[in-house]
């Protein structure tokens, strides 16, 4: 098991290095940033001076090494557009995105898993059919359309919920949270539903099909033959086995939420990293763009590691096979 | 002695789009306390369905369309799910074909034993664990104290089937339905597992309904044997009589297929043709297209189980004797 963890850690480092390289390469292909930063009539000497202060005159590989070193020390450079440190901009935007993703993920898990279990157990019920039909909408409608529909109904027509922004936030150290005010919580509802709906329906359908599969298995038949109660069979035996494959997909999907947040944040003008990224693209603000890429990759890698560890916790077959092969 | 289990005129159907399939048709049999009833027959004869119906686990759309099943005089085929659940495991245990997949891979064998014991008794967790240990000893798991916390994949096939047997017998049921308990196992351990099952059941006075293809196992283990053909019982009677002097032409042919030393001729005495599919069962005696003794009556009228002396056979050859 130890060897396995080491191997996974090495893989993660490789992935991060590759992403860092892509993020760095962005700088080379996005046109000359100097053009964005100086006035139209700046002289060649002025441009050259700026180039040198930003370190853009040095060879490619040196720039990359410097870039890596800076990343590791949390120095993400300065925004080409507003000139403030990227780290600071991200620190301002990160809480908004993470809170949105967290609520969307909880929504997807706490609605998706029970709905999947329910529709798996009551395969032929009217309620199950209804839920499956509704879930088709979640899978097939594009996110921005769902967001706009929700805004139309709940913000414009009914006026119950805000159509944009985070509402009031409370500052806890560097972290600005929307969890502590009523308007902050209200503002989270529509965006997190919009963001999480696809994942909710996906998890629900996945849990359902896994559940059906597991319920057909021999050990469930044998559990029935032993006279175990339905509750023990459905939730003790079937659900736990269902979760083994669900964990991977759910983990990947939650990582995906961070990426999908770009669309939701744009629709709801949510002041998070996705929104920041879109603005950065418009202004070819390469340091912001590349830092965003690196951060999102980091979240993916971390989530994958957590998924792997969860696997070990749930499935004894993995735990033992490793330890057996170890001696 | 009153029978422990009585199955009377059992009929199992599967409604399908193209009409109703009758998979088990008018089966009657009894099992006495502590008795071992062997059930043999070709694949698809309805052996497993009969066993599944007895423990009340027929999967819809399969259903019991007619007949009765009684355990110690009490009718059990029409009980509500929850009532029948309390009988499963406690009064009727079951062992299935594949020990590799019968155990939940995510729980230790001890946990699965304790769970079953606690479902059917008032034992505390500690008492249940002690009982689970005893059981593992009894079914011959070496180093049971250590093994009790191991997971199914850490056991070999034979060891897993021993655990399955422990699970089936853990609260001393009156009857165990063993559906091809050794088919999936290595030939070298099949005999051990059957011997174990037989010894445990004899010690506890548990009756066994032993479904198998292996006539050798039947000969060694069963007290009586039921030969099934196309969802019906062809012949039922004491094992010795059925093996030595089978009366029904089908069971006669089946017994002829048991390999016998020094008797090459017998081995060739196979029955021509194969068992009809459920949709193609002929009228009259289901065996008539293959029967060497077929006569007119066999093609129109269905034979009931008739006395042949020691055994009962559903064959018109015994209509007047
Ligand atoms: N769900 C089902 N739908 C339709 N027919 C079924 C179904 N389950 C079983 N049958 C049919 O019922 C018949 C009896 O099946 P059963 O499993 O009892 O046979 P068996 O005697 O145990 O055979 P084997 O030796 O292969 O285990 C078979 O012809 C089978 O095709
Ligand atoms: S009833 Fe007729 S066809 Fe059927 S087994 Fe007897 S002799 Fe053969
Ligand atoms: Mg079978």
């Amino acid at each position: 098991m130890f060897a396995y963890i080491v191997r996974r850690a090495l893989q993660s480092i490789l992935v991060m290095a590759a992403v860092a390289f892509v993020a760095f390469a962005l700088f080379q292909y996005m046109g000359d940033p100097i053009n964005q930063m100086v006035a139209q009539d700046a002289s060649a000497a002025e441009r050259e001076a700026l180039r040198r202060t930003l370190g853009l005159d040095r060879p490619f590989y040196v720039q990359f090494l410097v870039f890596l070193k800076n990343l590791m020390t949390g120095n993400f450079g300065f925004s080409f557009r507003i000139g403030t440190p990227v780290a600071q901009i991200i620190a301002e935007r990160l809480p908004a995105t993470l809170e949105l993703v967290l609520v969307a993920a909880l929504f997807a898990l706490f609605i998706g898993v029970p709905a999947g279990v329910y529709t798996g157990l009551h395969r032929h019920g009217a309620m199950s059919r209804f839920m499956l039909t509704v879930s088709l909408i979640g899978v097939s409608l594009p996110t921005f359309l769902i967001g706009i529909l929700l805004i139309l109904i709940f913000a414009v027509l009914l006026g119950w919920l805000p159509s944009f922004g985070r509402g009031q936030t409370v500052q806890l150290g560097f972290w600005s949270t929307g969890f502590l005010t009523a308007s902050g919580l209200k503002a989270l509802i529509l965006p997190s539903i919009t963001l999480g709906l696809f994942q909710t329906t996906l998890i629900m359908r996945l849990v359902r099909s896994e559940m059906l599969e597991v319920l057909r298995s021999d050990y469930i038949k044998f559990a029935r033959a032993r006279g175990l109660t339905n509750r023990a069979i459905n939730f003790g035996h079937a659900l736990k086995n269902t979760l083994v494959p669900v964990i991977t997909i759910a983990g990947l999907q939650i990582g995906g939420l961070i990426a999908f947040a770009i669309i939701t944040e744009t629709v709801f003008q949510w002041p998070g990293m996705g929104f920041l990224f879109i603005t950065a693209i418009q202004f070819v603000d390469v340091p912001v763009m590349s830092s965003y890429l690196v951060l999102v990759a980091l979240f993916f890698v971390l989530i994958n590691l957590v998924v792997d560890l969860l696997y070990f916790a749930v499935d004894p077959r993995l735990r033992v096979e490793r330890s057996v092969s170890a001696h | 002695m009153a029978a422990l289990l009585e199955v009377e005129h059992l009929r199992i159907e599967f409604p399908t789009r193209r009409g109703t399939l009758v998979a088990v048709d008018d089966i009657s049999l009894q099992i006495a306390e502590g008795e071992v009833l062997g059930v043999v027959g070709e694949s698809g004869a309805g052996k497993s369905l009969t066993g599944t119906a007895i423990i009340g686990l027929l999967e819809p759309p399969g259903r019991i369309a007619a007949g009765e099943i009684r355990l110690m005089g009490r009718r059990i085929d029409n009980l509500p799910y929850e009532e029948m659940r309390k009988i499963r495991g406690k009064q009727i245990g079951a062992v299935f074909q594949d020990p590799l997949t019968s155990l939940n891979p995510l729980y230790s064998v001890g946990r699965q034993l304790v769970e079953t014991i606690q479902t059917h008794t008032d034992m505390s967790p500690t008492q249940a664990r002690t009982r689970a240990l005893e059981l593992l000893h009894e079914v011959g798991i070496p180093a049971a104290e250590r093994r009790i916390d191991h997971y199914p994949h850490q056991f070999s096939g034979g060891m897993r089937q021993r655990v399955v047997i422990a699970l089936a017998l853990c609260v001393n049921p009156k009857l165990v339905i063993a559906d091809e308990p050794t088919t999936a196992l290595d030939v070298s351990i099949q005999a051990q597992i059957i011997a174990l099952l037989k010894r445990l059941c004899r010690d506890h006075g548990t009756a066994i309904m032993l479904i198998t293809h292996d006539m050798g196992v039947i000969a060694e283990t069963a007290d009586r044997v039921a030969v099934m053909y196309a969802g019906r019982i062809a012949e039922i009677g004491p094992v010795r009589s059925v093996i030595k002097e089978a009366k029904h032409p089908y069971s006669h042919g089946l017994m002829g297929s048991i390999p016998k030393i020094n008797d090459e001729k017998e081995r060739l005495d196979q029955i021509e043709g194969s068992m009809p599919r459920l949709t193609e069962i002929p009228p009259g005696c289901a065996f008539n297209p293959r029967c060497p003794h077929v006569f007119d009556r066999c093609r129109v009228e269905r034979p009931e189980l008739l006395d042949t002396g020691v055994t009962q056979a559903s064959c018109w050859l015994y209509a007047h004797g």
Side-chain angles (χ1 to χ4, degrees), chain B residues 191-203:
Chain B
Q192 293 172 24
I193 296 292
I194 292 288
L196 171 77
L197 188 66
K198 189 175 179 186
R199 176 172 59 76
L200 287 177
C201 289
R202 201 182 45 221
D203 292 354

Side-chain angles (χ1 to χ4, degrees), chain B residues 234 247-250 284-299 301-303 313-318:
Chain B
K247 292 293 193 294
H248 192 285
Y250 175 66
C285 173
F287 187 57
N288 77 56
R290 296 169 77 185
C291 181
H293 309 291
V294 59
F295 57 103
D296 291 345
R297 192 178 186 182
C298 311
R299 297 199 180 89
E301 234 180 310
R302 182 178 160 182
S314 48
C315 172
W316 287 128
L317 293 176
Y318 304 93

Side-chain angles (χ1 to χ4, degrees), chain B residues 44 47-49 97 179-180 211 213:
Chain B
K47 308 180 295 291
S48 299
L49 282 180
Q97 181 170 344
D179 191 349
E180 306 194 30
I211 300 171
H213 286 275

Side-chain angles (χ1 to χ4, degrees), chain A residues 148-163 186 189-190:
Chain A
I148 290 170
L149 283 178
L150 287 177
I151 289 177
L152 190 69
I153 298 171
F154 293 98
V156 179
L157 293 180
L158 297 172
W160 291 349
L161 297 165
S163 62
K186 265 173 128 180
I189 296 175
L190 292 186

Side-chain angles (χ1 to χ4, degrees), chain B residues 56-87:
Chain B
L57 284 180
L58 272 185
E59 303 244 357
R63 63 187 192 97
I64 297 180
E68 266 187 49
I69 301 170
R70 285 190 299 273
L71 184 73
M72 296 182 286
R74 177 189 183 200
R75 195 164 167 191
I76 58 169
D77 58 282
N78 57 357
L79 291 180
Y81 184 89
E82 187 56 20
E83 289 291 300
M84 191 60 204
R85 177 188 71 71
K86 289 182 187 151
I87 291 176

Side-chain angles (χ1 to χ4, degrees), chain B:
Chain B
M1 183 169 44
L4 170 70
L5 180 86
E6 297 158 286
V7 176
E8 266 176 26
H9 306 297
L10 179 69
R11 178 184 172 99
I12 300 173
E13 294 181 349
F14 290 91
T16 66
R17 267 186 223 111
R18 278 177 287 131
T20 307
L21 286 182
V22 184
V24 167
D25 195 0
D26 198 12
I27 279 188
S28 299
L29 52 84
Q30 284 92 38
I31 303 179
E33 291 212 12
E35 182 184 49
V36 180
L37 175 74
V39 179
V40 293
E42 274 166 83
S43 192
K47 308 180 295 291
S48 299
L49 282 180
T50 307
T52 318
I54 292 170
I55 52 174
L57 284 180
L58 272 185
E59 303 244 357
R63 63 187 192 97
I64 297 180
E68 266 187 49
I69 301 170
R70 285 190 299 273
L71 184 73
M72 296 182 286
R74 177 189 183 200
R75 195 164 167 191
I76 58 169
D77 58 282
N78 57 357
L79 291 180
Y81 184 89
E82 187 56 20
E83 289 291 300
M84 191 60 204
R85 177 188 71 71
K86 289 182 187 151
I87 291 176
R88 280 197 289 272
K90 187 163 171 77
Q91 312 214 19
I92 308 178
V95 177
F96 296 131
Q97 181 170 344
D98 197 347
L100 299 183
T101 53
S102 284
L103 299 169
N104 185 337
L106 302 187
Y107 293 129
S108 69
V109 300
R111 199 197 134 141
Q112 300 188 48
L113 276 162
V114 167
E115 182 183 29
T116 314
I117 295 166
Q118 286 197 294
T119 301
H120 296 295
T121 65
D122 300 328
M123 284 192 202
S124 72
T126 338
Q127 288 171 317
R129 193 179 157 90
T130 313
R131 172 86 183 114
L133 255 182
E134 264 170 42
L135 279 158
L136 289 179
H137 275 300
E138 216 178 335
V139 297
I141 304 274
E145 288 78 8
R146 194 164 52 81
R147 298 294 258 160
I148 188 169
D149 292 316
H150 283 187
Y151 291 88
H153 69 272
Q154 293 167 283
F155 292 81
S156 67
M159 285 296 151
R160 274 192 234 186
Q161 194 63 312
R162 284 169 194 263
V163 173
V164 169
I165 290 173
L167 277 161
L169 297 180
C170 67
V171 286
N172 288 325
K174 292 276 182 199
L175 170 69
V176 172
I177 295 177
D179 191 349
E180 306 194 30
T182 56
T183 308
L185 296 177
D186 208 87
V187 183
S188 59
I189 46 179
Q190 290 187 351
Q192 293 172 24
I193 296 292
I194 292 288
L196 171 77
L197 188 66
K198 189 175 179 186
R199 176 172 59 76
L200 287 177
C201 289
R202 201 182 45 221
D203 292 354
H204 297 120
T206 310
I208 311 178
M209 175 170 163
L210 179 61
I211 300 171
T212 175
H213 286 275
D214 189 337
M215 286 306 305
V217 165
I218 295 284
E220 270 176 43
T221 318
D223 300 313
R224 287 190 309 132
V225 58
V227 179
M228 286 188 66
Y229 185 81
R232 306 165 189 195
I233 289 184
E235 184 162 7
I236 183 167
V239 70
R240 224 155 277 271
S241 318
V242 175
I243 287 181
K244 289 247 174 64
E245 41 195 321
K247 292 293 193 294
H248 192 285
Y250 175 66
S251 30
H252 188 81
L254 196 66
M255 299 314 145
S257 66
I258 311 175
K260 283 181 194 144
I261 311 158
N262 301 333
D263 200 348
E264 286 300 314
K265 257 179 292 158
E266 281 279 347
R267 295 194 61 174
L268 301 174
D269 189 15
Q270 299 265 347
I271 318 158
E272 292 280 313
S274 60
M275 201 173 67
R277 280 190 284 169
L278 293 182
T279 45
E280 289 154 10
I281 295 179
C285 173
F287 187 57
N288 77 56
R290 296 169 77 185
C291 181
H293 309 291
V294 59
F295 57 103
D296 291 345
R297 192 178 186 182
C298 311
R299 297 199 180 89
V300 279
E301 234 180 310
R302 182 178 160 182
E304 296 294 312
L305 271 181
L306 299 165
D307 249 316
T308 68
V310 202
T311 71
Q312 292 173 293
S314 48
C315 172
W316 287 128
L317 293 176
Y318 304 93
H320 37 73

